[in-house]
Amino acid sequence: MKNADKIISIILMIFFSLIYYLALSFPPRAARYPKGLAVVGIVMAVLLLLNSYIKEKRKSPRPTDIKRKITNEQTFYIIATAIGSILYIILMPVLGYVISTIMFMYSLMWVLNPRKKMVYIIVTAISVMLLYGVFGMLLRVWLPKGLLF
Amino acid sequence: MFENIMMGIELALTWQNLLISFAGVVMGITFGALPGFTAAMGVAVLIPLTYGMNPVMGLILLASVYCGAIYGGSITAILLHTPGTPAAAATAIDGYEMTKQGKASEALTEAICASFWGGIISALALLLIGPPLARAALKFGPPEYFMLGVFGLTIIVTLTAKSLIKGMISGILGLIFGTVGMDPLLAFPRYTFGQPSLMTGISLVPALIGLFSVSQVLMMVAQKEQGILQVDTSNIKGRKPRFSDLYKYPITYIRSAIIGTFIGMLPGAGASIAAFLGYNEAKRFSKTPEKFGTGLREAVGAAEAANNGVTGGSLITLLTLGIPGNSVTAILLGGLMIQGLRPGNELFTVNAKITYPFLIGLFIANIFMLLVGLFGSRHFAHVIKTPINILATIIIVLGVMGSYAINNNMFDVYVMMFFGLLGYIMRTNGFDTAPVVLGIILGPIAEKGLTQSIVLARGESIVKLFLSRPISLVLIILTIVSLATPFIQEYYFSKKKLQNNAN
């Protein structure tokens, strides 16, 4: 956990420095506020880094860290969901709303638990019909059409 | 004001509004009962449904979901010791003990009756305090708005974060996201990277859906075993609700509801804090405090009246000052803005035809909640059986649709996904996402207040300007108090610990 804090504080320092750097090209009056925020952010990130070192020293031999262990299986589920969702929204303008949603729903449910295939088909069909009906037809939202429909 | 209330009743009581309120309550209770699903997530996912509705209907739907979800958490807390929402954690203490003693249906009845009173009393407070407070808000100038923004942020940082540094970092990240778009003085585009969609700032609703719903889904799929929890409803039957259940502990209800309303008004303090405070105060005033924790019916009522008291209270500050008291009202603010409504006095004067029916709708929502809860609460316990993979998938699809449909724009969907991943990384590393949301909302308010104050000070010291105005002075003092609270608390607790050790 504390190790993660170190990495995060370094990423934050880079991020806040970037915010400061980008603000240099703004007119002075528009730059003042984000510059100030970036400076406070950098200070906080440094404090977080120092804090993680202090805590490490204070309770150094700590084999029973409270951080719950994430199993490989769980990591797979999280990554699958994240990548699946990203692919879904990237492919939506290409494939169209209906096709991409059907593909996404069925495959994600199946990847997370490949058992009740029939249930997934029914859930997918009902969801897509409801969503398309309510938003596409009732509320007249112009959904991405894609190659087919 | 009386005419406005009468008009509100007239406009709110249409069959469409009643139907939508009923549906909202049922959806809200379902969301609340699902462990891992919070009220904020429910409202965020359902917001797109309101796009096509008239403002009154849309707002009544959201308020009904809000009330239902805060109550719904108590069902699984009582039956399974698994609070459906964090707000029901205090309910679980005595509620589950009652279930173990075979008094589950009594506990469920108590929870719904207390929730009803909490909701009604806080809605009444909103109706009475809202309009005068909104008029008082007219006296707010740039310095006051700046200080309000600063106060709101400090309080959320000190109240929600486990670590003060991490809370501050979350808040600053939110403030930085709030600077995206044209600056308030020169309209210079900041951090837009040539994206026209970013000119007016980061879209609030997609960011909220990402931070609350998508990040929650990612956390949920890791623990999908939850879906197999067995619900034993066999011992819930056998007790019909009686009319006397409604007024079992009137003093406790009123005390807890007032605590809830007040906590709700504070930015950052949510329903879970209110519930624990209500519980503790009931224990303090009780003649038999030792019975708390052993399955005491009054304890369930004390916690539930307090957490539902938050609903009306949090709307007070949202509708009058535009400051969301918690994450649900932050999303409701998004719902208001989609309807073209701006919080403040205007809401109670120019837009009275929308606002008052909405306020009356809050009463209707609580009445429906009581009816649905009394006669159907045990059925909601079954929703916990829904497999997580199906829920997770549906939530993401709804979130994508909600983000897209605001502006018919794919860019907003990418914004949602960005904040979803960011929220997940933050939450798994001990950062709270609520300060980010508040930062995005309060940042522009605070910056505008500050830059206008500098103009107002006309070259003189800006500190003098802030100290010379009574309201801003009060806000400065409140900010200092809220910043000092964690340190005082720590000092107090360590002293108490020493005393306990000495004893």
Side-chain angles (χ1 to χ4, degrees), chain A residues 41-53:
Chain A
I42 293 171
V43 172
M44 285 296 146
V46 171
L47 282 178
L48 184 66
L49 188 67
L50 291 177
N51 208 23
S52 64
Y53 274 110

Side-chain angles (χ1 to χ4, degrees), chain B residues 47-175:
Chain B
I47 244 185
L49 280 178
T50 66
Y51 297 161
M53 295 179 186
N54 70 46
V56 174
M57 215 187 212
L59 291 175
I60 287 182
L61 172 68
L62 295 179
S64 306
V65 175
Y66 184 15
C67 294
I70 298 277
Y71 154 69
S74 71
I75 299 173
T76 39
I78 290 170
L79 295 178
L80 303 159
H81 205 248
T82 313
T85 54
T91 314
I93 309 171
D94 282 76
Y96 188 62
E97 286 299 321
M98 287 180 78
T99 300
K100 282 202 288 193
Q101 295 161 15
K103 291 191 279 187
S105 71
E106 199 182 329
L108 286 173
T109 307
E110 180 59 32
I112 182 59
C113 294
S115 294
F116 168 72
W117 286 116
I120 289 285
I121 292 170
S122 74
L124 199 65
L126 168 63
L127 197 60
L128 297 177
I129 302 174
L133 193 64
R135 271 196 298 280
L138 285 177
K139 294 202 185 87
F140 277 42
E144 283 78 17
Y145 271 105
F146 172 68
M147 277 321 297
L148 205 59
V150 174
F151 171 61
L153 274 169
T154 51
I155 201 159
I156 194 162
V157 165
T158 51
L159 275 174
T160 57
K162 288 166 214 91
S163 135
L164 196 60
I165 299 176
K166 288 187 176 177
M168 292 274 274
I169 290 175
S170 305
I172 290 167
L173 280 176
L175 289 174

Side-chain angles (χ1 to χ4, degrees), chain A residues 19 30 74 78 109 120 142, chain B residues 166 190-191 222 389 404 424:
Chain A
I19 291 291
Q74 287 171 324
I78 295 167
M109 284 190 278
Y120 301 159
W142 193 89
Chain B
K166 288 187 176 177
R190 296 186 295 202
Y191 307 115
N389 60 337
Y404 176 81
Y424 175 74

Side-chain angles (χ1 to χ4, degrees), chain A residues 5 8 16 19 26 30 33-34 40 44 74 77-78 85 89 105 109 112-113 120 131 135 139 141-142, chain B residues 52 166 168 172 176 179 183 188 190-191 222 224 389 393 396-397 401 404 408 410 413 417 424 429 447:
Chain A
D5 276 1
I8 286 173
F16 289 129
I19 291 291
F26 301 165
Y33 175 70
V40 180
M44 285 296 146
Q74 287 171 324
Y77 291 142
I78 295 167
S85 314
I89 60 175
M105 284 192 80
M109 284 190 278
L112 291 179
N113 186 359
Y120 301 159
L131 282 167
F135 287 95
L139 299 179
V141 173
W142 193 89
Chain B
K166 288 187 176 177
M168 292 274 274
I172 290 167
I176 287 179
T179 63
D183 89 87
F188 180 83
R190 296 186 295 202
Y191 307 115
K224 67 186 185 89
N389 60 337
T393 312
I396 291 182
V397 170
M401 174 60 97
Y404 176 81
N408 287 1
M410 272 317 276
V413 182
M417 198 47 79
Y424 175 74
N429 286 293
E447 190 191 0

